[in-house]
Amino acid sequence: MRMTRTFIPTLRDDPAEAELVSHRMLLRGGYIRKLTAGIYIYLPLMQRVIHKISNIVREEMDRSGAFEITMPVLHPAEIWQQTGRYYDIGPELMRLDDRHKRPMVLGATHEEIVTSLLRGELRSYKRLPLNLYQIQVKFRDEIRPRFGLMRGREFLMKDAYSFDIDEAGLDIAYQKMVDAYKAVFKRCGLETVMVESDTGAMGGKFAHEFMVIVDTEGGEATILSCPECGYAANLERAESIPVNGPAKTEEAPQSYSPVETPNMKTVEEVTAFLNVPARKLVKTLMYRAGEKVVAALIRGDRQINETKLSNAAGVPMVEMLDAAGVEQATGAPVGFAGPVGMRADISVIADEEVKAMINFVVGANAGDRHLINVNLTDFRIDKTATIRSAEAGEYCPRCRKERLISRRGIEVGNTFKLGTKYSKALGATVLDEAGNERLLIMGSYGIGITRTAQAAIERFHDDRGIAWPVPIAPALCHLVCVNSGDAALSAAADKLYDDLQKAGIEVLYDDRQERTGVKFADADLIGLPWRITVGAKGLASGMWELKARMADAPEMVLAGEIIPRLLAILKSES
RNA sequence: CGGGGUGUGGCGCAGUCUGGUAGCGCACUUGGUUUGGGACCAAGACGUCGGAGGUUCAAAUCCUCUCACCCCGACCA
């Protein structure tokens, strides 16, 4: 690739629209351009990165025994109506009509499509197990696209679907995908952590996410992990053994009484005013859970975990009541809700920790008033569950020895054990050995291709630009001719460019009539792993300068040795 | 959808309050000088000031409506 012949529109200034480093560098480095909110054009350099990642994914998927297909982007709405996701997913599913006014959707994922394919084609268990995958554009009409490729509306994803006759088969298929994923990310040069996750809207019973640990603001998710035993889960799902238990367990329960707390709405205000620690207070959070209203009780110093709460409430999603809703439900303004005398039609879900508390503070369901010395016998609890978020510094729920640490990560892959949700809805069955009709047991497995690319940048960069890992870099080396106006230098660089290409080494050749500083700055920004500089000093000595992207200083290498060196690097790093 | 903000040449912005016919830096074109970390001189090209309507002798600027984009929140890979 000669820079004068391809299209790499680098930007000198940061575009105003980009917040995240990785997003800024994609824009500035001439990798992508935005078409409209959340929808991007992939320029030549980006396209090469996509190919690199896709090829690695393809090789590992094929090796695992899966087969590549391509499914349509545009689907008839009918299939989505049959599984119910047409109604469940909501506006995120892009809907449109064709010219005959037939309702269509843009594929947000392809469970419906593969399942409907196989329901018509698979008759016998002898065809199983089967795993089909594709690398395809997905469309999700995100409420709020942001962070460039990380939360776009249109993105590239590898999605695989496994089909088995029984759970044992699914376990094997799942493990194969987990192994393939570990191999994929390792080959991409990315360290990932596999964490347990909630299944969410996908349905199913068991799921993992593969996170690239970035520990930057780009890390969208918090992961709690145990350095001792390897336990890891995202914040939604993580469990923990608390370090500081109830305040004083041996305290004698007293009978409660009201106190005036004028305008004290927050835990901080109330505890400061009453001079008690936050863990002697129970906060009552009012949620809408489907048709019902629930009151969630957690200790004052804890954070509610809405995923855990919705699981406990048995609904897909909970939503915090607004001020008017709280007032209607409790008869008091926000900040004064409490479980004592809670309306009978509101179910009370208490966090496990609350059960150990004695003589605590709660809201009085009346303005400017709290109750002190409240005990569990003073109110009704319909259900007890862990509904608080685990915190860093608490003990690991598995080994119980080490304390959990918190890290920030970007999800690049996920695996779901789906079971029969889709095969049941669409009637996808096969006959088993005994001649009985059996529903297909499914799994689905995704890798965000474009997202992985951006996660890699978020992980590997410095203040000057990207620093790609060799296996997914758009090219191995960046050949800079210091002065393309100088005939002798330019000829030497041309020759090296030809030789590199003949040797099968991918090279981006900066043959522009630009000042050296401009070329170096662009090379750092674009971030290829190696830079070769052809300059006047080298012309005399027969040596060119070779520099690794993150190295402090270059080294001088004999012209004839550059290609063998790079070939050796290629061999060891990909 | 709620809250906040921005739309002016390819990019980054000033000008809007106080109306007078559009400006700066970078990029771009041509010529020249330069050439190892974002050069210099000279000459140029590029704008329906997001769109529609209105007020006015006169609108980037005031009014009404509308669209797009960005940030915070809910949602999510």
Side-chain angles (χ1 to χ4, degrees):
Chain A
M1 265 181 301
R2 281 173 181 266
M3 282 191 84
T4 51
R5 287 285 152 258
T6 179
F7 183 57
I8 305 175
T10 57
L11 264 20
R12 187 176 291 223
D13 300 312
D14 272 330
E17 68 180 56
E19 198 81 341
L20 238 49
V21 242
S22 51
H23 185 195
R24 281 205 301 271
M25 286 174 181
L26 281 169
L27 254 6
R28 276 194 60 199
Y31 282 83
I32 61 172
R33 282 296 182 267
K34 188 177 70 173
L35 208 216
T36 183
I39 300 185
Y40 291 86
I41 299 166
Y42 308 134
L43 302 180
L45 286 179
M46 188 65 206
Q47 195 61 34
R48 294 179 68 99
V49 173
I50 288 171
H51 281 316
K52 291 283 175 74
I53 297 173
S54 301
N55 286 339
I56 290 171
V57 167
R58 210 169 258 131
E59 283 173 23
E60 293 302 328
M61 291 305 291
D62 290 350
R63 193 200 305 278
S64 81
F67 290 89
E68 185 174 11
I69 62 175
T70 297
M71 290 182 271
V73 181
L74 191 64
H75 310 167
E78 193 186 351
I79 306 185
W80 287 78
Q81 288 163 349
Q82 283 169 15
T83 60
R85 287 165 101 198
Y86 189 77
Y87 313 102
D88 294 345
I89 294 189
E92 192 181 305
L93 184 64
M94 182 80 187
R95 297 143 208 258
L96 59 163
D97 287 345
D98 69 10
R99 67 194 300 166
H100 304 291
K101 295 278 173 285
R102 272 193 286 262
M104 311 292 282
V105 312
L106 290 180
T109 164
H110 285 74
E111 280 80 7
E112 276 78 2
I113 311 305
V114 247
T115 311
S116 80
L117 167 75
L118 292 186
R119 108 181 120 176
E121 306 288 344
L122 279 188
R123 291 281 113 89
S124 162
Y125 75 97
K126 290 178 189 166
R127 310 292 320 162
L128 301 177
L130 180 64
N131 188 325
L132 298 177
Y133 77 96
Q134 66 173 348
I135 295 176
Q136 241 298 28
V137 166
K138 296 276 180 287
F139 198 97
R140 295 182 193 171
D141 198 2
E142 285 291 335
I143 296 177
R144 185 178 160 210
R146 62 183 129 168
F147 304 148
L149 268 24
M150 270 175 45
R151 180 143 336 316
R153 293 196 289 171
E154 191 178 285
F155 56 99
L156 255 189
M157 179 167 151
K158 184 282 314 180
D159 45 327
Y161 305 91
S162 69
F163 300 88
D164 284 278
I165 188 72
D166 54 24
E167 292 285 340
L170 173 60
D171 289 345
I172 294 167
Y174 195 86
Q175 190 55 46
K176 276 188 179 170
M177 284 296 101
V178 166
D179 292 343
Y181 276 29
K182 287 181 175 167
V184 163
F185 295 121
K186 192 172 176 204
R187 283 187 59 189
C188 286
L190 292 167
E191 205 183 311
T192 53
V193 177
M194 176 174 159
V195 306
E196 294 178 12
S197 66
D198 193 72
T199 51
M202 286 293 288
K205 39 194 139 182
F206 197 66
H208 288 94
E209 288 172 353
F210 287 77
M211 319 284 305
V212 174
I213 302 298
V214 293
D215 287 330
T216 64
E217 56 171 344
E220 50 172 3
T222 301
I223 299 152
L224 292 176
S225 60
C226 170
E228 173 76 18
C229 73
Y231 170 81
N234 64 19
L235 189 60
E236 285 181 349
R237 190 179 232 269
E239 293 161 19
S240 63
I241 313 285
V243 172
N244 50 342
K248 280 183 194 158
T249 42
E250 66 284 358
E251 231 178 284
Q254 303 180 31
S255 37
Y256 71 83
S257 53
V259 289
E260 295 300 316
T261 48
N263 217 18
M264 306 282 165
K265 294 180 179 180
T266 65
V267 172
E268 292 72 41
E269 287 165 354
V270 174
T271 52
F273 182 72
L274 298 176
N275 197 24
V276 293
R279 61 179 195 278
K280 287 283 280 180
L281 180 141
V282 167
K283 48 182 174 184
T284 304
L285 304 167
M286 306 302 295
Y287 279 90
R288 174 161 305 285
E291 301 293 292
K292 295 181 64 179
V293 172
V294 301
L297 307 185
I298 61 169
R299 222 171 72 181
D301 57 337
R302 299 306 192 187
Q303 289 296 315
I304 187 78
N305 183 315
E306 296 186 358
T307 304
K308 291 177 182 175
L309 177 62
S310 42
N311 287 339
V315 294
M317 202 181 103
V318 292
E319 192 185 355
M320 211 170 213
L321 292 186
D322 58 15
V326 170
E327 229 172 308
Q328 207 202 336
T330 65
V334 175
F336 301 96
V340 178
M342 183 62 71
R343 247 166 49 195
D345 62 317
I346 296 176
S347 59
V348 178
I349 300 180
D351 185 68
E352 288 286 355
E353 273 186 335
V354 171
K355 284 211 309 194
M357 294 172 69
I358 295 170
N359 297 335
F360 45 88
V361 178
V362 300
N365 291 331
D368 297 337
R369 186 171 299 178
H370 280 76
L371 305 177
I372 58 170
N373 292 326
V374 172
N375 286 285
L376 296 171
T377 47
D378 297 326
F379 56 91
R380 160 180 59 89
I381 292 177
D382 296 299
K383 182 163 187 179
T384 306
T386 299
I387 56 171
R388 71 177 182 95
S389 284
E391 288 166 34
E394 298 182 330
Y395 288 103
C396 170
R398 287 284 157 73
C399 68
R400 293 168 175 263
K401 278 188 266 180
E402 198 41 81
R403 290 171 187 245
L404 295 174
I405 56 168
S406 163
R407 312 199 68 184
R408 308 267 287 160
I410 296 171
E411 181 184 351
V412 287
N414 53 36
T415 51
F416 290 93
K417 284 191 180 179
L418 294 174
T420 57
K421 174 172 165 148
Y422 298 92
S423 52
K424 194 170 178 185
L426 296 168
T429 61
V430 291
L431 294 182
D432 67 11
E433 254 177 303
N436 297 317
E437 209 168 40
R438 301 266 294 266
L439 287 170
L440 292 170
I441 312 282
M442 294 174 56
S444 90
Y445 317 91
I447 291 180
I449 304 285
T450 37
R451 177 173 252 258
T452 299
Q454 189 171 342
I457 298 173
E458 195 65 32
R459 174 71 184 77
F460 299 113
H461 67 268
D462 61 15
D463 54 357
R464 295 199 307 266
I466 305 170
W468 290 109
V470 169
I472 62 174
L476 211 219
C477 60
H478 199 128
L479 174 59
V480 175
C481 180
V482 158
N483 182 358
S484 294
D486 181 305
L489 258 195
S490 188
D494 281 356
K495 170 147 195 325
L496 182 52
Y497 176 58
D498 286 340
D499 291 346
L500 285 163
Q501 285 191 306
K502 280 183 196 134
I505 294 170
E506 294 175 324
V507 50
L508 177 62
Y509 175 24
D510 195 342
D511 56 340
R512 295 174 302 172
Q513 302 273 1
E514 285 287 357
R515 309 216 104 214
T516 320
V518 173
K519 293 188 177 190
F520 285 164
D522 275 349
D524 290 339
L525 216 208
I526 289 168
L528 302 188
W530 293 88
R531 189 182 81 194
I532 308 167
T533 308
V534 169
K537 288 178 248 166
L539 202 55
S541 61
M543 293 168 98
W544 305 130
E545 196 178 286
L546 187 63
K547 179 181 171 297
R549 171 62 179 81
M550 292 303 246
D552 295 329
E555 60 175 308
M556 298 304 292
V557 178
L558 279 170
E561 282 171 15
I562 286 191
I563 287 175
R565 274 283 295 278
L566 289 175
L567 286 174
I569 288 161
L570 253 191
K571 204 172 164 192
S572 69
E573 290 200 41
S574 56

